[in-house]
Amino acid sequence: MGGVVLETLSWKKLIILGLFLLFLLITFFLIGGLIAPRPTNVVHVIGTKCVNKGGVGNKEWFIPRGGSEKCIQYSSLDDPGIEDDRISANQIVFSFWLPHPREGIQLDFSRWQQTMISVLDLTILYDDENQVEDDAIIQLDARISYRDKEDDVNDWKELASSLEERQLRCEMEGKKENGYAYNCDLLSFFELGSLHYDYYLINIKVPVEPYKGINAGIGNLRDITLVGIHQNGGFTKVWLSIKTVMFPVVLAVLIWFWRRIGQLSRPPNLLERTLFALGIAMSILNCPLEWFTLAIDMPFMLLITDIRQGGFYAMLLCFWIIFTGEHIMDQCERNRLVLYWKHLLAVVIGCFCLLLFELSERGVQLANPFFSIWVTGVGAKLALSFIIVAAIAASCYFFFLCYMIFLVFRNISAKKVALPSMSKSRRSFYMGLIYRFKFLMLATLVCSALTVVFFIISQLSEGQWKWGDEDPSLEYTSAFFTGVYGMWNIYVIGLLSMYAPSHKQFVQGSNAGGDSQEEEVQLTYLPSSSETSAIQSFAAKVAAD
Amino acid sequence: MCCANMATYKSWWNLLLKLTIFWIHTYSTCAFNEIWWNLGMSGVLQNPNLYIVGTKTMCVQLKGLSLGQQKLCTLYHDHMPSVGSGAQMGINECQYQFRFRRWNCTTIQGDTSVFGPVLQIPSREAAFTHAISAAGVIHAISRSCREGDLASCGCSRAMRPKDLNRDYIWGGCGDNIEYGYRFAKAFVDVREKEKNHPRHSEALSRMLMNLHNNEAGRRAVYNYAKVACKCHGVSGSCSLKTCWQQLPTFREIGERLKERYDGAVEVKFNKRGTRLKRKHKKYNKPSKEDLIYIDQSPDYCQASKDTGSLGTTGRECNKGSDGMDGCNLMCCGRGYNTFKKTIVERCNCKFVWCCHVKCKTCESVKDIHVCK
């Protein structure tokens, strides 16, 4: 009978293969842990307090450092000069030039650093007479521009500008005394999908219009700190290398798998088609498109990567459902996608919601990097409802999956009781079925457990991070990413190679007569198989003998 | 033979002469007890002539720097304004925290020891000033790094500046608080480590005390830096989380060190006379974050030439209070005079978040109590 590769492998070969895959997995983990730096890093910039002498409509750029192009600035907003010169709040511009100079060199961003997101950290000092109001809203007139190293020092080109509102959530912990700082939540600021240029300059005005109540109740704002989070170039290099190696490998295995199926006399069944689709989703995720970002400005890369990743996980979820469904071993004939519509609908609805959320957050950010769906009331409710629907879909999915796994196990135990009374070929067919299912269950459980464990470790190591501790010799967060990524690649490769149809024939020994009946048995599907029929056929065979 | 002898004799003389000069030099700095806190006094770093003369001369001219600090000054001359503002922050915070105490951190203009001779006593107050000024330097340096003011701020991952940009692209730069800590440690502690003191000597005990308290001040900054995090994984999930350190406000640091001041541990030499240990066994061992002192403080009641205390005569006190700021304790039982004073204040102001405010002026009459 034509089984899958997994069944024809001897224990020795299987163990060697398992060890090899484990070795690969550890390698992926160590590549991330030892070679790659942390996935992201932070630039802290405290805004330089520049003075706009040119009136409200002035569109010039205020540059915090440099020679003659440097703006007129005060070291602090408590500088007596501000009072003496009668500078008003509307004239103050907070200016940030990223990145910093270090060790006497003006650093510049590299395209390897891929993306940058930023948050604002406001320093608001308590003042009896000027407190932060409840539900205060801060309005920021924000502009961002870029320049390359070789450009003229004044040649800043606008990337985006927007008038943004953010909810202030500030509270006083401990003493309410003048000079103590509020503890304010961080404000999300902008997300750049590509770091294509060398320098970025951000100008923020906090305009005041007392009659309209704009920026009236925001307290004594003293400083704005911009925290820019960019990907590390080293991490990108390691990540891209992994992708570049894995892409052709998975693609080759996928082609081999499909050719094996093509050699069969029957058309591919549902499970084989699903496995093929999973391989395609993996290849799409593996495709090292990021190489193009080194040459072309691709701010949509963040969105594409998220969609690719979502696509892969959706495919994986579908695969689990179909695989389990095809192994239930009851009378119904499956092998048709339509039968799984309930389960797949849960996946589709969940993924569709997350896609909508993604498009309305990162999609809109392509046009306005300062946009965030969470900052407006309606947007936050919409985003929350997307996520809730996705969560409901996910729980439905897991209910379905658990129920189907329960069915499989129930049938397995029933079959095990009946196994000794079956014909040899039928027994080997069922044993193969059970073996295949258990093998996948084990592999999936190990992979999921490892993902969860890695995730927890990386989260703990990140959350408890405090400087002064010895630098960890392993970079857990990077190891988590490369390890998990490599693991699912290995998982897909393993599935494609193990569950491909085998060329080898079972040597059936004495009961060679049964083979002819079983020849048409496909990967999982046994026509009209039930306990009674099995026993009947057994009895018939005995009688014939 | 004879000539060789003469040469040895001469070189010996030379050495002796040099040693004497060195001894006089060190003795003189000790006598005036110059300290780098002087950079925080108004008018020291603001002097516009200072920057014209070149870094080397500038560093020699800055009063209060020890020899090692002068060397660091020439290497990192752009850090000096930050050191100055750190010292100033320390002094201001000290004055804020001690505004209701008999010793109120008064600075003496023109004296390079900044707080006057009273801090020659290895007291709790001396411990506090060392800690708060060390904390001021790390705070100011880290802040300046974040403002982009200090072009020469460190990027700890880079060993060689040549490869700086490459290293930065590979793994980013290190934390600024860490850099501030390292610089503050080098700069503040070098003053104490320049000389060797014999065992059991007063100078050694003072050196050990200062080093401990400087470290306690620095730890007050970085041990209490808050960790903030941002999630930015797929669809904004927390699969990728980045955390960083937030500098605590200097008021919080001052408050923390004031608590340490209240719980400071009295110490004495161990038997070998090389280290300090707690004097009373019933108190806990001082940790690295605790302040330590050797001698009890004077009561600061009377102006005294011996201790250098300024006394509390002429200080304002609070008539209704039972605390240290109450007239009874503040004036050490000498009684107080009461004046009526007209106070002109801003009132009915229209505040916005910054800058020039439109106010009315209001007058009120207040009773002021001043110690005799």
Side-chain angles (χ1 to χ4, degrees):
Chain A
M1 101 176 221
V4 297
V5 174
L6 175 67
E7 289 162 77
T8 58
L9 278 182
S10 68
W11 276 107
K12 204 173 145 194
K13 278 184 185 165
L14 195 67
I15 288 171
I16 291 172
L17 194 80
L19 286 178
F20 176 67
L21 293 183
L22 194 71
F23 169 76
L24 268 185
L25 180 61
I26 293 171
T27 313
F28 275 117
F29 192 77
L30 289 182
I31 285 173
L34 296 176
I35 298 174
R38 302 173 62 202
T40 53
N41 216 321
V42 174
V43 239
H44 266 112
V45 193
I46 299 181
T48 304
K49 277 73 74 177
C50 292
V51 176
N52 171 17
K53 299 265 187 191
V56 184
N58 188 4
K59 280 280 169 196
E60 73 177 288
W61 291 101
F62 297 88
I63 306 161
R65 298 189 287 275
S68 58
E69 71 277 14
K70 185 168 135 180
C71 67
I72 308 164
Q73 53 188 251
Y74 290 98
S75 59
S76 137
L77 290 180
D78 294 316
D79 196 312
I82 289 185
E83 185 69 26
D84 296 344
D85 299 347
R86 303 230 151 194
I87 305 293
S88 78
N90 281 329
Q91 285 177 288
I92 300 286
V93 183
F94 292 92
S95 170
F96 312 79
W97 176 353
L98 277 70
H100 274 312
R102 282 284 180 264
E103 319 225 359
I105 298 170
Q106 170 66 50
L107 297 174
D108 56 89
F109 283 121
S110 150
R111 289 173 190 176
W112 284 105
Q113 284 165 325
Q114 299 276 306
T115 62
M116 180 163 65
I117 70 164
S118 75
V119 288
L120 294 182
D121 182 10
L122 305 184
T123 310
I124 299 178
L125 295 186
Y126 183 81
D127 186 340
D128 271 337
E129 297 168 287
N130 185 20
Q131 299 187 17
V132 178
E133 287 167 12
D134 298 336
D135 306 321
I137 284 174
I138 186 168
Q139 198 184 64
L140 304 167
D141 181 0
R143 294 166 75 205
I144 182 165
S145 66
Y146 63 86
R147 167 166 94 76
D148 278 325
K149 258 190 287 190
E150 54 281 357
D151 291 348
D152 184 70
V153 286
N154 267 318
D155 190 18
W156 293 92
K157 291 169 274 283
E158 184 169 287
L159 193 68
S161 73
S162 178
L163 195 64
E164 288 294 319
E165 286 189 344
R166 297 283 188 273
Q167 178 94 42
L168 270 190
R169 288 187 194 84
C170 294
E171 46 186 85
M172 285 298 287
E173 290 165 346
K175 270 194 208 168
K176 278 197 173 182
E177 227 175 281
N178 289 2
Y180 283 73
Y182 279 94
N183 186 12
C184 292
D185 284 2
L186 299 167
L187 306 179
S188 62
F189 195 43
F190 64 78
E191 279 193 57
L192 291 180
S194 67
L195 271 185
H196 193 70
Y197 304 100
D198 288 334
Y199 307 129
Y200 288 86
L201 178 72
I202 296 120
N203 279 181
I204 304 175
K205 293 177 196 164
V206 187
V208 178
E209 280 183 55
Y211 301 109
K212 286 185 191 163
I214 290 171
N215 286 329
I218 60 169
N220 236 352
L221 180 65
R222 292 294 89 167
D223 263 315
I224 299 183
T225 306
L226 186 141
V227 183
I229 302 170
H230 59 79
Q231 194 162 316
N232 272 332
F235 181 77
T236 316
K237 285 176 187 172
V238 171
W239 188 245
L240 251 180
S241 316
I242 293 179
K243 281 187 144 184
T244 314
V245 172
M246 290 320 283
F247 179 60
V249 172
V250 174
L251 209 61
V253 175
L254 190 66
I255 291 169
W256 171 83
F257 175 79
W258 200 240
R259 282 186 56 186
R260 270 274 165 113
I261 288 174
Q263 285 164 6
L264 293 177
S265 48
R266 59 174 171 79
N269 65 21
L270 176 62
L271 194 53
E272 283 157 350
R273 274 178 285 151
T274 316
L275 209 49
F276 185 66
L278 183 67
I280 288 177
M282 187 83 245
S283 297
I284 291 173
L285 182 61
N286 278 342
C287 183
L289 280 179
E290 283 88 344
W291 284 113
F292 293 112
T293 59
L294 300 180
I296 316 163
D297 188 13
M298 296 165 81
F300 45 84
M301 207 52 226
L302 215 54
L303 184 66
I304 288 183
T305 305
D306 279 3
I307 291 175
R308 286 196 296 178
Q309 204 166 345
F312 170 69
Y313 284 113
M315 200 55 236
L316 195 62
L317 295 178
C318 294
F319 168 74
W320 284 339
I321 280 285
I322 291 170
F323 187 89
T324 320
E326 296 289 291
H327 280 78
I328 285 183
M329 296 183 274
D330 52 8
Q331 291 93 325
C332 336
E333 184 186 335
R334 292 198 169 74
N335 202 15
R336 277 187 301 140
L337 199 58
V338 202
L339 286 171
Y340 297 101
W341 70 270
K342 269 185 295 188
H343 318 84
L344 298 186
L345 193 66
V347 178
V348 168
I349 287 177
C351 290
F352 186 67
C353 279
L354 288 181
L355 179 70
L356 277 183
F357 171 76
E358 190 69 34
L359 284 176
S360 53
E361 171 95 357
R362 291 203 162 145
V364 180
Q365 271 164 7
L366 290 178
N368 175 15
F370 298 105
F371 177 82
S372 168
I373 194 166
W374 294 104
V375 297
T376 58
V378 183
K381 272 177 199 151
L382 200 68
L384 208 60
S385 52
F386 282 150
I387 286 172
I388 288 171
V389 173
I392 292 171
S395 36
C396 285
Y397 170 82
F398 277 101
F399 169 74
F400 284 136
L401 187 64
C402 291
Y403 178 67
M404 282 167 86
I405 289 173
F406 163 75
L407 280 184
V408 173
F409 273 107
R410 203 188 57 185
N411 288 345
I412 282 178
S413 51
K415 285 281 184 306
K416 267 189 177 160
V417 174
L419 270 182
S421 58
M422 288 182 193
S423 74
K424 204 158 191 184
S425 62
R426 188 165 286 275
R427 191 179 345 160
S428 71
F429 165 77
Y430 274 120
M431 275 166 73
L433 213 58
I434 292 170
Y435 177 50
R436 285 199 299 249
F437 182 75
K438 284 195 169 167
F439 185 83
L440 182 100
M441 273 299 279
L442 186 76
T444 308
L445 273 180
V446 168
C447 286
S448 317
L450 281 179
T451 307
V452 172
V453 169
F454 288 165
F455 180 70
I456 291 172
I457 291 176
S458 72
Q459 290 280 311
L460 285 183
S461 71
E462 184 67 27
Q464 285 175 351
W465 176 77
K466 219 162 194 306
W467 97 262
D469 300 344
E470 286 291 300
D471 262 347
S473 48
L474 264 183
E475 207 49 80
Y476 288 109
T477 320
S478 299
F480 162 70
F481 279 103
T482 54
V484 168
Y485 187 71
M487 188 177 70
W488 290 114
N489 261 300
I490 292 171
Y491 181 84
V492 171
I493 292 175
L495 287 185
L496 285 176
S497 49
M498 292 291 179
Y499 290 80
S502 168
H503 284 310
K504 283 188 190 165
Q505 297 291 315
F506 269 120
V507 183
Q508 289 290 323
S510 59
N511 197 3
D515 279 359
S516 55
Q517 293 174 2
E518 299 289 337
E519 251 170 12
E520 287 307 300
V521 169
Q522 292 169 1
L523 185 57
T524 59
Y525 162 60
L526 181 69
S528 65
S529 65
S530 69
E531 271 343 278
T532 44
S533 71
I535 291 166
Q536 274 166 4
S537 67
F538 181 70
K541 257 180 226 153
V542 171
D545 283 345
Chain B
M1 190 72 184
C2 157
C3 289
N5 248 338
M6 271 299 282
T8 339
Y9 183 70
K10 249 190 175 169
S11 67
W12 263 109
W13 251 117
N14 234 332
L15 191 68
L16 204 68
L17 205 72
K18 271 183 188 163
L19 274 175
T20 325
I21 291 167
F22 183 69
W23 181 76
I24 291 171
H25 182 76
T26 46
Y27 180 77
S28 65
T29 47
C30 265
F32 290 111
N33 202 30
E34 286 190 337
I35 193 157
W36 59 272
W37 303 338
N38 192 38
L39 302 190
M41 300 287 277
S42 58
V44 173
L45 277 171
Q46 285 81 354
N47 181 1
N49 295 329
L50 206 58
Y51 299 96
I52 305 168
V53 292
T55 43
K56 204 149 195 183
T57 333
M58 175 191 103
C59 291
V60 177
Q61 279 185 358
L62 281 175
K63 285 205 175 105
L65 295 186
S66 74
L67 287 173
Q69 285 172 335
Q70 281 177 10
K71 264 183 206 154
L72 278 173
C73 169
T74 40
L75 284 173
Y76 299 98
H77 60 95
D78 64 339
H79 287 37
M80 286 306 119
S82 300
V83 172
S85 76
Q88 193 179 11
M89 274 158 69
I91 294 167
N92 290 344
E93 191 56 32
C94 179
Q95 290 177 346
Y96 177 83
Q97 294 294 340
F98 284 82
R99 65 199 185 283
F100 297 136
R101 312 276 302 208
R102 282 181 196 155
W103 177 77
N104 65 347
C105 229
T106 317
T107 54
I108 298 160
Q109 199 63 40
D111 183 349
T112 46
S113 73
V114 180
F115 296 109
V118 72
L119 288 192
Q120 301 275 50
I121 305 167
S123 60
R124 283 167 187 261
E125 287 74 27
F128 183 83
T129 45
H130 274 271
I132 195 92
S133 44
V137 173
I138 161 171
H139 200 275
I141 294 278
S142 328
R143 202 192 138 87
S144 301
C145 287
R146 291 178 177 194
E147 281 181 322
D149 275 354
L150 299 185
S152 62
C153 246
C155 175
S156 64
R157 264 165 256 253
M159 294 298 138
R160 304 159 300 275
K162 183 163 61 89
D163 297 334
L164 177 70
N165 216 45
R166 215 182 61 197
D167 287 358
Y168 162 72
I169 290 165
W170 177 265
C173 267
D175 189 72
N176 296 312
I177 304 183
E178 189 176 341
Y179 178 77
Y181 175 82
R182 281 189 287 132
F183 182 80
K185 191 176 171 73
F187 184 83
V188 176
D189 285 359
V190 70
R191 176 181 178 269
E192 310 294 336
K193 289 177 176 167
E194 279 168 6
K195 281 160 254 166
N196 283 319
H197 303 289
R199 288 182 183 186
H200 287 290
S201 67
E202 211 168 282
L204 178 65
S205 67
R206 185 61 198 261
M207 176 193 119
L208 292 171
M209 171 181 148
N210 288 352
L211 284 178
H212 182 102
N213 292 328
N214 290 343
E215 180 65 22
R218 288 190 294 265
R219 291 201 175 207
V221 182
Y222 81 70
N223 273 2
Y224 295 94
K226 284 173 233 154
V227 175
C229 294
K230 165 88 180 161
C231 291
H232 51 103
V234 182
S235 303
S237 73
C238 229
S239 65
L240 185 53
K241 192 163 86 170
T242 306
C243 296
W244 63 92
Q245 304 257 354
Q246 279 177 317
L247 266 179
T249 58
F250 206 64
R251 182 56 37 90
E252 284 174 78
I253 295 163
E255 195 131 278
R256 194 152 282 132
L257 284 174
K258 179 73 189 324
E259 282 168 23
R260 300 277 175 199
Y261 164 88
D262 290 331
V265 182
E266 191 173 359
V267 291
K268 61 170 188 188
F269 265 128
N270 62 359
K271 280 196 187 120
R272 295 180 58 211
T274 50
R275 306 179 86 180
L276 297 173
K277 56 170 197 172
R278 67 201 145 142
K279 200 167 184 181
H280 305 289
K281 284 271 177 321
K282 61 179 171 182
Y283 298 119
N284 287 339
K285 261 189 184 169
S287 70
K288 290 221 162 181
E289 291 177 32
D290 283 321
L291 298 183
I292 58 170
Y293 65 99
I294 298 165
D295 287 345
Q296 291 288 347
S297 310
D299 62 9
Y300 299 109
C301 277
Q302 302 287 344
S304 148
K305 278 244 162 82
D306 289 343
T307 60
S309 161
L310 296 170
T312 59
T313 309
R315 293 277 304 280
E316 265 183 46
C317 61
N318 185 351
K319 199 181 168 190
S321 164
D322 290 332
M324 269 319 288
D325 61 330
C327 287
N328 210 4
L329 282 173
M330 179 66 87
C331 307
C332 307
R334 293 189 304 265
Y336 52 89
N337 298 320
T338 306
F339 303 98
K340 283 220 184 305
K341 195 175 170 187
T342 326
I343 293 169
V344 181
E345 275 179 326
R346 301 194 308 179
C347 57
N348 295 329
C349 297
K350 284 206 173 74
F351 283 102
V352 285
W353 59 270
C354 160
C355 314
H356 183 65
V357 221
K358 280 182 194 135
C359 292
K360 285 177 182 163
T361 46
C362 307
E363 287 187 4
S364 60
V365 181
K366 218 174 161 186
D367 285 333
I368 302 273
H369 313 288
V370 172
C371 291
K372 278 181 185 166

